[in-house]
Structures are given as C-alpha cells and as structure tokens.
Amino acid sequence: DANLKSLKNKTLAVIGFGSQGHAHALNLKDSGFKVIIGLYKKSKSREVAKKLGFEVMDTADAVKAADVIFVATPDTVIPAVYNKDIAPNITKGKTLLFSHGFAVHFKTIKLPKNIDVILVAPKGPGHTVRSQFVAGKGVPGLIAIHQDVTGKAKETALAWATGIGSGRAGIFETNFREETVTDL
C-alpha cells in the first residue's frame, strides 16, 4: 500500500540526530530520499551527520527548506524546539512528523491547522531500526494521522514507514492517543 514515489521529489528534514533521528535519516537516505538534518548551532551531532554525508542546517533553516519535518528530539525538549524553530517557520501544506505521540496527545505544543500531522513509530530503538534495515529486514512500525489537510497524510506516513524499513516487517495504523498511552 505504500507508494514511495510520494516522497521522491520532496526534502525530508530530520530534527535531531539521536537514537531515532540518525536511524530514520540513514535509512531514508539509503532508500533514495533527499534528507537534511536540522540541529542547534552547538550540537555535537553536526560533525557526525556531516561525516555521514548529510547536509546539516540550523533547525529553523531545515524547517523552511523541507516538505516533511520529523521531530526527533526527546519529548521534554520538543516544546522549546517547536516554539523557537519549528512553529515560526512551518508553512501551509507541509507535514510535521513524530515518532511518539506525546507532544500532540498531551498538547505540549500548539499545532497550526494548515499542515498535515502524522506519526511513524518503529517499535524498536534506533540502533535496531538501522541494523535491521542494513540486514535487509525491518522493524514493525505504527502510523497515525492527527491532521490531514492535504489529503495525502496517510500516503506520506506509509511512504516514510516503508523508507525506514517498517514496510518489510509490517505497518499498523493506530492513533496518537493509543500510541502514546501504550508506549508509556
């Protein structure tokens, strides 16, 4: 059901380069997508991402440049990053993606009404998401749609989940509430 072509001509930004961020970025890059990394100026991950062949930008600039923005920072950091760098720079028709529904479900951020908001949550830590992908396998994943302004939110979620390898193992649809509560 996943059509990878829906992301082929888009720029995908990964905000953060920790456990999930690096795995999603590398897997999507290996799947043939254009991936950029958004980090704060003094992040130690900047050099790591550059050495892996990524274009690294300040977070606000990555949000401006991307069509799909993956927030791969810890739940406790999301509100500050969102308010400072994402909310002022995200524009109509873009997609905001999370791998955990906490910030959306518990309303720690205020989402604009004119963007798609989706979730792609592989059910494993980042190093496993990456190692399974490299081995030609995948980690099962969940997708959820919170806002579908473009009519293509589910298509985007399925393509992203397939691009990180979850399509090799299984993709299950849920909602932000169920993913958040069961994960906690």
Side-chain angles (χ1 to χ4, degrees):
D1 296 334
N3 180 357
L4 293 177
K5 291 178 186 171
S6 67
L7 292 180
K8 283 293 181 189
N9 294 319
K10 302 205 181 229
T11 298
L12 314 179
V14 174
I15 309 302
F17 205 68
S19 178
Q20 288 294 328
H22 90 280
H24 285 240
L26 287 166
N27 292 4
L28 290 165
K29 181 179 168 203
D30 288 352
S31 292
F33 297 114
K34 179 182 179 185
V35 180
I36 60 175
I37 308 300
L39 295 167
Y40 62 93
K41 283 202 184 298
K42 295 186 180 184
S43 172
K44 293 176 184 174
S45 297
R46 280 181 172 262
E47 286 308 310
V48 175
K50 285 179 185 176
K51 284 180 184 171
L52 291 169
F54 291 103
E55 178 180 0
V56 178
M57 304 175 155
D58 291 343
T59 302
D61 293 331
V63 171
K64 291 175 192 172
D67 301 293
V68 181
I69 299 104
F70 171 37
V71 185
T73 62
D75 291 328
T76 56
V77 176
I78 287 175
V81 172
Y82 181 81
N83 291 329
K84 179 180 182 277
D85 293 319
I86 298 173
N89 297 297
I90 197 162
T91 54
K92 180 180 180 180
K94 292 193 178 195
T95 300
L96 193 59
L97 184 149
F98 298 88
S99 64
H100 182 43
F102 189 94
V104 173
H105 175 67
F106 288 112
K107 298 180 172 117
T108 65
I109 59 174
K110 185 173 175 25
L111 297 166
K113 301 276 187 218
N114 62 354
I115 63 168
D116 288 350
V117 181
I118 63 175
L119 177 135
V120 176
K123 299 317 295 172
H127 68 274
T128 303
V129 172
R130 181 63 181 157
S131 65
Q132 289 296 295
F133 182 91
V134 171
K137 301 173 186 176
V139 172
L142 301 174
I143 64 166
I145 312 306
H146 180 73
Q147 285 181 186
D148 185 7
V149 173
T150 66
K152 297 182 180 192
K154 185 173 180 180
E155 183 180 320
T156 301
L158 283 169
W160 188 289
T162 298
I164 64 167
S166 292
R168 300 171 179 174
I171 301 169
F172 303 91
E173 190 167 6
T174 187
N175 59 55
F176 274 69
R177 182 196 159 285
E178 285 181 1
E179 188 282 330
T180 302
V181 172
T182 58
D183 195 59
L184 292 175

